[in-house]
Amino acid sequence: MDFEDVSLTALRVFRAVAEHGTFTAAAASLGYTQSAVSRQVAAIERAAGTQLLQRRREGVRLTAAGRTVLRHATVVLDEIEATARELSGLPPAAGTVRLGWIPSAGAVLLPRALTELSRTDPGLRVVSREGTTPVLVRALRAGSLDVVLLGSAPPFRSPDTETPPLVVETLTERSLRLAVPVSHPLARGDFVDVADLRGQRWIAGPSSGEDRLMGVWPGLDERPEIAHTARDWLAKLHLVAAGLGLTTVSAALAPAAPEGVRILPVRGGPQEQRRLLLARLDRPSTQPVARVAAALRAAALDTT
């Protein structure tokens, strides 16, 4: 089969695998079986005459040929979507910006930026979705997102190692904080000493192949006792409010903490800084993307 005969379905499947990082996750997002996804990818690799994906234990990675196919597949699929919209009588998506964001950005900064945009640019449509930093980076590379808000922890490496590098700027840099029940002895002061964190019970996020253990103070010299696990940060904070353990939070979440929780700095040990990054592909930004980026910068300054 020549590459000119590759189907749109195969291109969509290939982009989904590149975006989600695994065949399993891509199949779930598309509503396909994993074997169907594997067959589509195998077909497009046969047509290309080369390997497009490196299969690794932790997921897949695009080869140089795979990046070429993805770049052109994104253009083709976007044009097909634009044609479908026009034929359906829908307005063109030129004024639409696809924004990805990590959970900590969704509490204060994102609503503030979008509210201001609705006032200054009422014709601009922003479609957003939440995700982890690795997932959002893959979606950005796959062309499914235009701009993303990412998290970064020391030693502040680049979000990925693909080429060309992403265009990345730091919006905020703040210290990691500790969420403590107001009834807890540690809540009596204005800060917590890192030595007092030994022997505490923790509320952490579920561990996965791409995320570090979130919710436990980094660098503790003991195996932490994980009392509860929750992916959602608001659920973690409500568990803290119920007196069921401690958890770590971004300083940006302090204004959204529920009653019964104190958000405190931690002293002693290495500084635990966290950065909020704005990232996009290395190409000229459209005016809508530039306006969204400007609103996010302004909201970051306003919340600092």
Side-chain angles (χ1 to χ4, degrees):
M1 179 176 70
D2 293 333
F3 202 84
E4 289 89 344
D5 298 323
V6 168
S7 69
L8 290 176
T9 298
L11 293 178
R12 289 191 182 97
V13 169
F14 179 71
R15 184 167 74 170
V17 173
E19 176 178 343
H20 292 280
T22 68
F23 283 58
T24 302
S29 72
L30 295 168
Y32 292 174
T33 63
Q34 185 171 336
S35 59
V37 169
S38 297
R39 286 195 298 271
Q40 292 290 341
V41 171
I44 201 170
E45 286 188 319
R46 284 197 302 272
T50 187
Q51 187 179 20
L52 303 179
L53 297 169
Q54 295 176 352
R55 280 77 165 171
R56 301 179 298 177
R57 183 188 307 177
E58 64 273 21
V60 300
R61 182 174 181 177
L62 290 167
T63 63
R67 289 194 293 272
T68 298
V69 170
L70 179 62
R71 185 173 68 253
H72 291 289
T74 297
V75 173
V76 170
L77 294 172
D78 286 348
E79 286 297 321
I80 291 295
E81 181 182 348
T83 302
R85 290 180 65 87
E86 187 173 342
L87 290 174
S88 300
L90 296 174
T96 297
V97 176
R98 300 164 299 175
L99 170 65
W101 44 279
I102 58 172
S104 61
V108 178
L109 186 145
L110 183 66
R112 187 168 295 181
L114 295 183
T115 298
E116 181 64 12
L117 275 172
S118 67
R119 186 185 67 82
T120 60
D121 294 272
L124 181 61
R125 179 170 176 257
V126 178
V127 179
S128 77
R129 74 191 217 214
E130 177 192 8
T132 63
T133 288
V135 167
L136 295 176
V137 168
R138 287 196 297 266
L140 184 64
R141 291 282 188 190
S144 299
L145 294 172
D146 301 307
V147 63
V148 292
L149 291 167
L150 308 175
S152 182
F156 301 124
R157 297 187 179 94
S158 175
D160 71 357
T161 57
E162 301 292 335
T163 54
L166 299 175
V167 176
V168 179
E169 62 178 291
T170 299
L171 295 185
T172 63
E173 182 171 344
R174 296 171 175 169
S175 299
L176 187 65
R177 300 295 178 91
L178 187 72
V180 184
V182 294
S183 58
H184 197 285
L186 292 179
R188 295 171 185 165
D190 294 327
F191 64 91
V192 175
D193 192 286
V194 70
D196 293 330
L197 297 181
R198 299 188 81 255
Q200 300 293 338
R201 303 174 79 232
W202 296 93
I203 300 164
S207 59
S208 70
E210 64 185 16
D211 285 330
R212 298 183 299 171
L213 188 62
M214 303 296 290
V216 176
W217 192 261
L220 291 182
D221 58 351
E222 63 176 357
R223 182 175 182 143
E225 179 188 351
I226 308 299
H228 304 280
T229 60
R231 189 176 301 278
D232 180 69
W233 65 265
L234 187 57
K236 290 181 188 177
L237 289 177
H238 277 287
L239 289 170
V240 172
L244 300 175
L246 315 180
T247 196
T248 59
V249 294
S250 164
L253 293 177
E259 187 177 351
V261 176
R262 288 202 70 193
I263 307 295
L264 297 171
V266 175
R267 295 188 182 179
Q271 285 293 307
E272 288 296 335
Q273 300 294 107
R274 296 295 183 268
R275 290 178 181 172
L276 180 66
L277 308 176
L278 184 66
R280 60 177 176 82
L281 295 177
D282 188 11
R283 62 190 183 196
S285 293
T286 64
Q287 279 299 316
V289 169
R291 293 202 298 271
V292 169
L296 292 169
R297 293 187 196 101
L301 286 173
D302 196 32
T303 57
T304 301

